[in-house]
Amino acid sequence: MFLGIIIRMYNNGEHNPPHFHASYQGCHGVFNMEGELIEGEMPRRQQKFIAAWAELHKDELLANWELAMSEQPLYKIEPLH
């Protein structure tokens, strides 16, 4: 969680392509590993924060995706400061 944005990735063998979920004040979106909104809605400002965070942590996101696909516990990723 950072700047009121909650990031989630589910470790239930989710389907490809790799993605993560974000929510902010009632808005929910699905983002690819580059931080681009691919489904749902999110205010533009928060989209920019999410994209910046995803760029900084892309390797960690991809590692967590591999864990999620095999239903393993995920690692925590540092928030955007």
Side-chain angles (χ1 to χ4, degrees), residues 35-51:
E36 299 167 335
L37 181 67
I38 57 174
E39 185 179 310
E41 60 179 51
M42 186 66 54
R44 193 84 183 121
R45 181 178 166 134
Q46 280 65 33
Q47 285 183 45
K48 289 180 182 182
F49 290 140
I50 292 165

Side-chain angles (χ1 to χ4, degrees), residues 4-77:
I5 302 165
I6 299 171
I7 304 288
R8 289 188 176 94
M9 187 180 291
Y10 301 105
N11 63 344
N12 59 1
E14 275 201 275
H15 54 86
N16 277 313
H19 64 278
F20 60 91
H21 302 257
S23 56
Y24 175 78
Q25 295 186 354
C27 295
H28 305 283
V30 177
F31 291 79
N32 64 21
M33 294 304 174
E34 284 74 40
E36 299 167 335
L37 181 67
I38 57 174
E39 185 179 310
E41 60 179 51
M42 186 66 54
R44 193 84 183 121
R45 181 178 166 134
Q46 280 65 33
Q47 285 183 45
K48 289 180 182 182
F49 290 140
I50 292 165
W53 176 81
E55 183 176 328
L56 291 170
H57 298 287
K58 186 173 182 180
D59 291 341
E60 294 163 275
L61 284 166
L62 290 170
N64 264 354
W65 181 258
E66 292 302 318
L67 291 171
M69 291 297 288
S70 59
E71 300 182 19
Q72 300 296 314
L74 306 182
Y75 296 109
K76 282 193 135 183
I77 299 175

